Amino acid sequence: MKRVIFGAVLLLAGGCSSSANSTATAPLRVGTVVVEPREDINAGIYVGVIEEENSAALSFPVAGTLIRLYADEGERIRKGDLLAELDPTSALQARDAAQAALEQARDACGRLQKLYDAKSLPEIQWIEAQTRLRQAEAAYGIAEKNLGNCKLYAPFSGVIGPRRMSVGETALPGVPVLTLLETARVKVRFSVPELEIASMKADSRVRVGVPALGDSLLDAGQLEKGTVANPAAHTYDVRAALPNGDGRLLPGMVCRVTVTPAGAVEELAVPVRAVQQSGDGSRFVWRVEGDSVVRADVRTGRFVGNDVVIEQGIRPGDRIVVDGMQKIGQGSKVVLQ
């Protein structure tokens, strides 16, 4: 039915063209396209979103009052940068107390050492003194570590994501303060209908266009297909890695994903409206040669969206008319819009 309707439209358009005045002296303004071979005619087109390669919700291992935040959302930081700090007063006092206890235990152990060497100290008392020293050393180590844990450092380079706390709030162990996103490499994630997921191979060619970056095209890596469908939409999540050394790609950017089957053959396709049909049923397009147009008979193939594949009649690099052909005829002079 679609081809019958298409033929009827072409016949009507062809009738208009055949009645055109090809002897018009004034050049006619027309819209054109240059035909180029394409591999992506059979490609699937999807809407995707950029995601970080890795993310970490950073938290303090100790409780305390948040007194400083050194990084804002969206700020790029390096591994080892100081990100946040708790009030160290309590941890500092605990460390000083543990240090004093350690010094006392060392002094006591040193005094008892002389008695033990002189065999004037029972063995059990000497063992107890050594045990107290080891306990004091362990307590000091814990206090020193807790003091160091009052500062939060970046475990890897990346971009600061959402901040979960503000200065003055009480941080609890394991409760996220901020999120760090690793963006040296990112992934594009898009949803594929269940009817198409089986035909999507890992070696398919994936190209990503990002409107936020001026529609620049990027080649993605191998596809990673999800194994669990969305029960409501009946789609599967698919991901592909993207290099991001310059850091231009940010998590959340919307993009256009084109997936072309591996080994796809280049074909020629033109907008459906460019193809005309004459009274005898033959189809043709108007090809621009110099400052005029000539009729080029074509053989059409399958429809691909708003385009139709041309199997014969035109070559790569040909410029054909797609708009303004209603008044043109063989040899009509034209100017390009």
Side-chain angles (χ1 to χ4, degrees):
M1 177 63 71
K2 187 173 181 181
R3 289 186 174 275
V4 172
I5 295 174
F6 175 67
V9 172
L10 294 183
L11 182 59
L12 179 59
C16 293
S17 296
S18 62
S19 62
N21 180 11
S22 62
T23 61
T25 56
L28 300 172
R29 188 173 296 275
V30 295
T32 64
V33 295
V34 176
V35 181
E36 298 291 348
R38 293 167 46 191
E39 290 182 348
D40 60 355
I41 290 178
N42 292 321
I45 299 176
Y46 310 93
V47 176
V49 64
I50 300 298
E51 292 183 340
E52 66 276 4
E53 174 75 9
N54 180 38
S55 65
L58 304 182
S59 60
F60 290 98
V62 295
T65 302
L66 186 64
I67 59 172
R68 291 184 185 87
L69 281 168
Y70 296 98
D72 296 322
E73 289 188 23
E75 183 177 346
R76 297 188 181 280
I77 54 89
R78 295 182 178 180
K79 180 179 180 179
D81 284 353
L82 179 60
L83 304 179
E85 187 175 0
L86 297 179
D87 184 351
T89 303
S90 296
L92 186 60
Q93 291 173 345
R95 195 278 307 272
D96 291 344
Q99 185 176 10
L102 175 60
E103 291 173 353
Q104 183 181 26
R106 283 174 176 169
D107 181 69
C109 205
R111 293 174 183 273
L112 293 175
Q113 174 81 49
K114 297 177 182 179
L115 295 176
Y116 179 75
D117 292 341
K119 301 187 184 302
S120 301
L121 184 71
E123 182 77 19
I124 186 64
Q125 292 186 13
W126 172 239
I127 293 176
E128 289 176 351
Q130 288 183 309
T131 301
R132 287 193 293 270
L133 176 59
R134 287 195 294 269
Q135 290 174 338
E137 289 174 341
Y140 176 78
I142 293 173
E144 184 72 17
K145 187 175 186 299
N146 287 340
L147 179 59
N149 286 337
C150 289
K151 293 183 178 181
L152 186 62
Y153 295 92
F156 53 82
S157 299
V159 177
I160 298 297
R163 294 198 320 189
R164 310 291 180 83
M165 296 186 65
S166 300
V167 171
E169 293 184 303
T170 300
L172 298 177
V175 177
V177 175
L178 48 80
T179 304
L180 180 59
L181 310 176
E182 186 176 6
T183 58
R185 286 176 60 85
V186 296
K187 290 185 177 181
V188 56
R189 175 178 59 83
F190 55 99
S191 298
V192 177
E194 62 181 12
L195 295 178
E196 301 175 20
I197 192 67
S199 61
M200 188 164 291
K201 307 301 182 183
D203 58 353
S204 299
R205 181 184 180 187
V206 184
R207 305 203 76 184
V208 180
V210 186
L213 303 180
D215 285 324
S216 56
L217 292 177
L218 306 170
D219 289 322
Q222 194 174 53
L223 290 177
E224 303 171 4
K225 297 192 294 185
T227 56
V228 180
N230 182 313
H234 298 284
T235 58
Y236 289 82
D237 279 349
V238 178
R239 291 175 172 84
L242 284 168
N244 192 34
D246 55 7
R248 295 191 305 157
L249 294 172
L250 297 176
M253 285 184 173
V254 177
C255 51
R256 182 174 183 266
V257 184
T258 304
V259 182
T260 306
V265 178
E266 289 186 341
E267 296 180 280
L268 300 178
V270 300
V272 171
R273 66 182 186 276
V275 181
Q276 307 292 293
Q277 184 165 307
S278 59
D280 61 1
S282 61
R283 295 173 181 174
F284 64 93
V285 296
W286 293 112
R287 186 174 66 238
V288 178
E289 293 187 358
D291 61 353
S292 60
V293 295
V294 296
R295 171 173 165 160
D297 292 327
V298 296
R299 185 175 70 204
T300 58
R302 69 188 185 285
F303 293 90
V304 184
N306 294 323
D307 293 345
V308 60
V309 174
I310 303 299
E311 298 177 344
Q312 183 178 327
I314 57 175
R315 296 172 297 180
D318 284 349
R319 182 179 292 277
I320 65 168
V321 178
V322 294
D323 292 308
M325 72 278 287
Q326 292 82 2
K327 295 182 180 181
I328 62 177
Q330 183 72 10
S332 292
K333 301 294 184 182
V334 295
V335 292
L336 307 185
Q337 290 182 353

